[in-house]
Amino acid sequence: MIKGIMDWIDDRSGIRGLVKEALYEKVPGGARWRYVWGSCLTFVFFTQVVTGTLLWMFYSPSTQTAWESVYFLEYQVAGGWFLRGIHHYMAQAMIVLLVLHLMQVVIDGAYKAPRELNFWFGIMMMGVTLALSLTGYLLPWDQKGYWATAVATNLMAEVPLIGPMIQKVVVGGAEYGHHTLTRFFALHAGVLPASLVGLVVAHIYLFRKHGIHVKEPRPKRDSYFWPDQVLKDAVACLAILLAVVTLTIYFHGAPLGPPADPSNEFPARPEWYFLFLFQLLKYVPAFWGAVIIPVFLVLWMFLQPFIGKSKVGHNFNVGFWWALIAGSVFLTFLAVSEDQANIKHGAAIEEAKWQADRVIEIANADGIPPTGAVSLLREDFQNKGRRLFASHCSSCHRYNGHDGRGFPVDDTPSAADLAGFASVEWITELL
């Protein structure tokens, strides 16, 4: 009976022929671990589509409901923290896999003729993936995403002539607010994924047309995609899934900072894979870091197939990529090191963590009012007290050696430290 059903389906769709063509493609030189990155990227993108669609069912894109809907998913929905964590860490894994896949293609010379178009599609896919990361960063509408997006969109204004107009279109006006959030959500959940699907389809079609490029001499005899390469791909995908699940469980989901508040400053930092650009902008003018250098790199990437025609050109391409990665890693290391050595930055991070824990504590106890979660912090007596102490008292007093919010004060205190005020210990120490 099952055979009859399968015969009927195959007669109407030709599914057996399609499966045979997909699985029994020849792998020149045999299955290899270095070929797994493309399949891993496809697996990660599929996971992102599934988890993103589920997240979409809970998300409400407005300045008064975005953070609140993420909070509800994270703390009220059973398994919501796990779902959001998988989406968060899988997105970061996708960036790493893109770099690995790109380097494998460049080292093997798989970007040369007749594969130029496929290489260019790969470069565009990398750009779309980075854009997905940037737009997704804002969606929780917390302090970290809000201020990091403000910094990123301000760089758009550096583009000559049309920069301010581009920034205004992306932001949705002169101020960051509801229109900024809805535009980023439309890009993140609609335009960019659809673009990536189209690029992936074109990429796979061209890959199947030209086949796998193998460096000579071939390591072993040719084999078929099924079962040898499929097994390696499956093992690699499983390893990525286990790593992401481990990170999700260890950190108990993705972080959620305090609600976005334009009146409350925050030490804006991008995600780790954009930190190198953040650090670079400390050493070069914004116009160079935001326009000249990116344009040069994109132009060079698209010219690589022509530069790499000769052996010298290919070696130059490979060397330039390694230098670019090494430079990015070094700049990222500098950025992290400087932040760790910066006492005020560390205090700002701790203050943001306190605010996040405090607003979640209040929301769990009293719920969220119609005015939104940001009003919980603005009206909270503990938060108000810390701010009042910092602005009116810390010029003379300290609280455990700081200004009441954890920030160091350069001036020498001229009055008593008020931590534990009026307690027996405090009076004893005063006397």
Side-chain angles (χ1 to χ4, degrees):
M1 180 179 176
I2 295 176
K3 184 179 183 302
I5 293 173
M6 292 304 300
D7 289 342
W8 183 88
I9 293 174
D10 180 56
D11 182 63
R12 269 63 174 179
S13 64
I15 188 68
R16 283 175 178 155
L18 293 173
V19 170
K20 184 177 180 180
E21 185 180 349
L23 293 181
Y24 292 96
E25 178 193 15
K26 270 196 173 183
V27 180
R32 303 179 70 183
W33 287 106
R34 67 191 300 123
Y35 297 153
V36 303
W37 307 122
S39 296
C40 288
L41 278 167
T42 305
F43 165 73
V44 169
F45 178 56
F46 173 76
T47 305
Q48 289 299 85
V49 171
V50 173
T51 56
T53 302
L54 294 173
L55 289 172
W56 193 348
M57 295 178 183
F58 293 94
Y59 184 68
S60 179
S62 79
T63 53
Q64 278 192 303
T65 57
W67 188 93
E68 291 76 4
S69 62
V70 175
Y71 157 79
F72 177 76
L73 175 70
E74 189 82 16
Y75 294 96
Q76 304 296 328
V77 177
W81 64 271
F82 184 78
L83 174 65
R84 184 165 170 259
I86 293 292
H87 192 76
H88 175 78
Y89 293 110
M90 198 67 84
Q92 304 198 28
M94 196 169 183
I95 301 295
V96 176
L97 291 170
L98 271 169
V99 174
L100 292 172
H101 185 47
L102 180 63
M103 288 307 298
Q104 179 253 317
V105 167
V106 172
I107 291 171
D108 286 356
Y111 62 94
K112 302 178 186 179
R115 297 175 173 83
E116 302 97 330
L117 271 179
N118 210 19
F119 178 70
W120 292 336
F121 277 125
I123 296 297
M124 287 187 281
M125 287 164 63
M126 182 173 66
V128 171
T129 302
L130 292 174
L132 278 165
S133 300
L134 181 64
T135 52
Y137 206 54
L138 178 68
L139 299 187
W141 199 244
D142 59 0
Q143 284 283 74
K144 186 177 182 181
Y146 178 91
W147 289 104
T149 303
V151 172
T153 51
N154 283 339
L155 291 176
M156 297 177 182
E158 297 295 330
V159 178
L161 300 177
I162 61 172
M165 183 178 65
I166 294 174
Q167 182 190 23
K168 191 172 183 179
V169 169
V170 171
V171 171
E175 302 291 335
Y176 297 92
H178 176 74
H179 285 199
T180 314
L181 184 60
T182 53
R183 290 181 187 208
F184 272 60
F185 178 65
L187 288 170
H188 187 78
V191 177
L192 293 174
S195 302
L196 195 55
V197 168
L199 290 170
V200 167
V201 170
H203 192 69
I204 293 175
Y205 166 76
L206 290 171
F207 169 74
R208 297 301 298 269
K209 175 178 173 61
H210 298 298
I212 297 174
H213 175 83
V214 184
K215 292 183 70 175
E216 299 293 345
R218 297 185 179 184
K220 53 186 178 180
R221 291 184 303 172
D222 296 354
S223 63
Y224 288 99
F225 185 67
W226 172 271
D228 297 341
Q229 190 61 48
V230 169
L231 177 62
K232 287 181 167 58
D233 291 352
V235 170
C237 290
L238 180 61
I240 292 166
L241 181 61
L242 288 175
V244 168
V245 169
T246 301
L247 286 172
T248 301
I249 295 173
Y250 180 80
F251 292 107
H252 197 75
L256 178 62
D261 185 357
S263 65
N264 187 11
E265 293 183 2
F266 184 86
R269 295 291 186 276
E271 275 285 14
W272 61 267
Y273 39 82
F274 286 125
L275 267 180
F276 74 94
L277 180 58
F278 170 81
Q279 188 69 16
L280 178 65
L281 292 172
K282 295 180 181 179
Y283 308 124
V284 300
F287 176 72
W288 275 82
V291 180
I292 300 298
I293 294 176
V295 168
F296 166 76
L297 289 176
V298 170
L299 183 62
W300 166 71
M301 289 179 191
F302 276 87
L303 289 177
Q304 271 188 284
F306 307 107
I307 298 172
K309 284 184 177 180
S310 64
K311 185 176 180 181
V312 174
H314 172 68
N315 290 336
F316 170 80
N317 284 336
V318 174
F320 197 97
W321 271 111
W322 280 121
L324 192 63
I325 291 173
S328 300
V329 170
F330 179 67
L331 287 172
T332 302
F333 171 77
L334 284 180
V336 173
S337 300
E338 288 181 10
D339 282 347
Q340 289 178 343
N342 189 330
I343 298 175
K344 290 186 176 180
H345 177 77
I349 294 297
E350 288 301 314
E351 171 67 6
K353 185 177 183 303
W354 180 87
Q355 289 182 0
D357 293 340
R358 180 60 182 161
V359 73
I360 289 167
E361 179 187 350
I362 301 170
N364 287 341
D366 304 326
I368 300 174
T371 51
V374 69
S375 64
L376 294 177
L377 274 179
R378 289 175 178 173
E379 298 170 7
D380 175 48
F381 68 93
Q382 287 193 29
N383 190 45
K384 281 182 177 180
R386 291 160 67 95
R387 288 176 171 275
L388 284 170
F389 188 95
S391 59
H392 296 292
C393 308
S394 62
S395 57
C396 300
H397 297 277
R398 298 291 181 273
Y399 190 92
N400 274 337
H402 55 74
D403 72 339
R405 301 178 66 202
F407 292 90
V409 182
D410 297 330
D411 300 333
T412 303
S414 58
D417 191 307
L418 296 181
F421 175 73
S423 65
V424 173
E425 294 80 5
W426 186 88
I427 295 173
T428 303
E429 186 176 347
L430 177 67
L431 294 174

Short mmCIF file of all heavy atoms in Angstrom, two decimals, residues 168-189:
data_model
loop_
_atom_site.label_atom_id
_atom_site.label_comp_id
_atom_site.label_asym_id
_atom_site.label_seq_id
_atom_site.Cartn_x
_atom_site.Cartn_y
_atom_site.Cartn_z
N LYS A 168 17.37 59.50 7.92
CA LYS A 168 16.00 59.88 8.25
C LYS A 168 15.01 58.81 7.78
O LYS A 168 14.04 58.51 8.49
CB LYS A 168 15.68 61.23 7.62
CG LYS A 168 14.38 61.85 8.12
CD LYS A 168 14.21 63.26 7.61
CE LYS A 168 12.95 63.90 8.19
NZ LYS A 168 12.77 65.30 7.73
N VAL A 169 15.26 58.24 6.60
CA VAL A 169 14.36 57.19 6.08
C VAL A 169 14.43 55.95 6.97
O VAL A 169 13.40 55.34 7.30
CB VAL A 169 14.74 56.85 4.62
CG1 VAL A 169 14.00 55.59 4.17
CG2 VAL A 169 14.41 58.01 3.71
N VAL A 170 15.65 55.57 7.37
CA VAL A 170 15.83 54.37 8.19
C VAL A 170 15.23 54.57 9.57
O VAL A 170 14.53 53.69 10.11
CB VAL A 170 17.32 54.00 8.29
CG1 VAL A 170 17.53 52.90 9.32
CG2 VAL A 170 17.85 53.56 6.93
N VAL A 171 15.48 55.74 10.17
CA VAL A 171 14.99 56.02 11.52
C VAL A 171 13.49 56.27 11.52
O VAL A 171 12.80 56.00 12.50
CB VAL A 171 15.76 57.23 12.12
CG1 VAL A 171 15.13 57.70 13.42
CG2 VAL A 171 17.22 56.85 12.34
N GLY A 172 12.97 56.77 10.40
CA GLY A 172 11.54 57.06 10.33
C GLY A 172 11.21 58.45 10.83
O GLY A 172 10.09 58.69 11.29
N GLY A 173 12.17 59.34 10.74
CA GLY A 173 11.96 60.72 11.20
C GLY A 173 13.21 61.26 11.86
O GLY A 173 14.31 60.71 11.70
N ALA A 174 13.04 62.30 12.62
CA ALA A 174 14.19 62.93 13.28
C ALA A 174 14.52 62.26 14.61
O ALA A 174 15.63 62.39 15.12
CB ALA A 174 13.90 64.41 13.50
N GLU A 175 13.56 61.56 15.22
CA GLU A 175 13.75 60.95 16.53
C GLU A 175 13.62 59.43 16.44
O GLU A 175 12.88 58.91 15.60
CB GLU A 175 12.71 61.50 17.52
CG GLU A 175 12.74 63.00 17.72
CD GLU A 175 13.98 63.48 18.45
OE1 GLU A 175 14.56 62.66 19.20
OE2 GLU A 175 14.38 64.65 18.27
N TYR A 176 14.33 58.75 17.32
CA TYR A 176 14.20 57.30 17.42
C TYR A 176 12.94 56.96 18.21
O TYR A 176 12.76 57.45 19.33
CB TYR A 176 15.42 56.69 18.11
CG TYR A 176 16.70 56.91 17.36
CD1 TYR A 176 17.51 58.01 17.61
CD2 TYR A 176 17.09 56.03 16.36
CE1 TYR A 176 18.67 58.23 16.90
CE2 TYR A 176 18.24 56.23 15.63
CZ TYR A 176 19.04 57.34 15.91
OH TYR A 176 20.18 57.56 15.19
N GLY A 177 12.09 56.16 17.62
CA GLY A 177 10.84 55.85 18.30
C GLY A 177 10.07 54.75 17.61
O GLY A 177 10.66 53.81 17.05
N HIS A 178 8.75 54.88 17.61
CA HIS A 178 7.87 53.83 17.10
C HIS A 178 8.17 53.49 15.64
O HIS A 178 8.25 52.30 15.28
CB HIS A 178 6.42 54.27 17.25
CG HIS A 178 5.44 53.29 16.68
ND1 HIS A 178 5.15 52.10 17.30
CD2 HIS A 178 4.71 53.32 15.53
CE1 HIS A 178 4.27 51.43 16.56
NE2 HIS A 178 3.99 52.14 15.50
N HIS A 179 8.37 54.50 14.80
CA HIS A 179 8.62 54.24 13.38
C HIS A 179 9.96 53.55 13.16
O HIS A 179 10.10 52.73 12.24
CB HIS A 179 8.55 55.54 12.59
CG HIS A 179 7.16 56.04 12.39
ND1 HIS A 179 6.81 56.95 11.43
CD2 HIS A 179 6.00 55.72 13.02
CE1 HIS A 179 5.50 57.20 11.48
NE2 HIS A 179 5.00 56.46 12.45
N THR A 180 10.94 53.88 13.99
CA THR A 180 12.23 53.19 13.88
C THR A 180 12.05 51.71 14.15
O THR A 180 12.56 50.85 13.41
CB THR A 180 13.22 53.77 14.91
OG1 THR A 180 13.19 55.19 14.87
CG2 THR A 180 14.64 53.29 14.61
N LEU A 181 11.32 51.40 15.21
CA LEU A 181 11.12 50.01 15.60
C LEU A 181 10.34 49.23 14.54
O LEU A 181 10.72 48.11 14.18
CB LEU A 181 10.39 49.97 16.94
CG LEU A 181 10.17 48.59 17.57
CD1 LEU A 181 11.51 47.91 17.84
CD2 LEU A 181 9.39 48.73 18.87
N THR A 182 9.26 49.82 14.02
CA THR A 182 8.45 49.09 13.04
C THR A 182 9.21 48.90 11.73
O THR A 182 9.07 47.86 11.08
CB THR A 182 7.13 49.84 12.77
OG1 THR A 182 7.42 51.20 12.42
CG2 THR A 182 6.24 49.81 13.99
N ARG A 183 10.04 49.86 11.36
CA ARG A 183 10.83 49.70 10.12
C ARG A 183 11.89 48.62 10.28
O ARG A 183 12.10 47.81 9.37
CB ARG A 183 11.47 51.03 9.74
CG ARG A 183 10.43 52.03 9.26
CD ARG A 183 10.99 53.34 8.84
NE ARG A 183 9.89 54.27 8.56
CZ ARG A 183 9.94 55.27 7.70
NH1 ARG A 183 11.04 55.50 7.03
NH2 ARG A 183 8.89 56.05 7.51
N PHE A 184 12.54 48.60 11.44
CA PHE A 184 13.54 47.57 11.67
C PHE A 184 12.89 46.20 11.75
O PHE A 184 13.46 45.20 11.28
CB PHE A 184 14.32 47.87 12.96
CG PHE A 184 15.52 48.75 12.75
CD1 PHE A 184 15.38 50.03 12.21
CD2 PHE A 184 16.78 48.32 13.08
CE1 PHE A 184 16.48 50.84 12.00
CE2 PHE A 184 17.89 49.12 12.88
CZ PHE A 184 17.74 50.38 12.34
N PHE A 185 11.69 46.13 12.32
CA PHE A 185 10.99 44.85 12.40
C PHE A 185 10.58 44.36 11.01
O PHE A 185 10.72 43.18 10.69
CB PHE A 185 9.75 44.98 13.29
CG PHE A 185 8.95 43.72 13.39
CD1 PHE A 185 9.49 42.59 13.98
CD2 PHE A 185 7.66 43.65 12.88
CE1 PHE A 185 8.75 41.41 14.07
CE2 PHE A 185 6.93 42.49 12.96
CZ PHE A 185 7.47 41.36 13.56
N ALA A 186 10.10 45.28 10.17
CA ALA A 186 9.72 44.91 8.80
C ALA A 186 10.93 44.40 8.03
O ALA A 186 10.84 43.42 7.27
CB ALA A 186 9.09 46.11 8.09
N LEU A 187 12.07 45.05 8.22
CA LEU A 187 13.30 44.60 7.56
C LEU A 187 13.74 43.24 8.10
O LEU A 187 14.08 42.34 7.32
CB LEU A 187 14.42 45.63 7.77
CG LEU A 187 14.30 46.95 7.01
CD1 LEU A 187 15.34 47.95 7.51
CD2 LEU A 187 14.48 46.73 5.51
N HIS A 188 13.71 43.10 9.42
CA HIS A 188 14.24 41.89 10.05
C HIS A 188 13.36 40.67 9.79
O HIS A 188 13.86 39.56 9.60
CB HIS A 188 14.37 42.12 11.56
CG HIS A 188 15.04 40.99 12.27
ND1 HIS A 188 16.41 40.82 12.25
CD2 HIS A 188 14.55 39.97 13.02
CE1 HIS A 188 16.73 39.74 12.95
NE2 HIS A 188 15.61 39.20 13.43
N ALA A 189 12.05 40.86 9.81
CA ALA A 189 11.14 39.71 9.69
C ALA A 189 10.60 39.50 8.28
O ALA A 189 10.03 38.44 8.00
CB ALA A 189 9.96 39.89 10.65
#
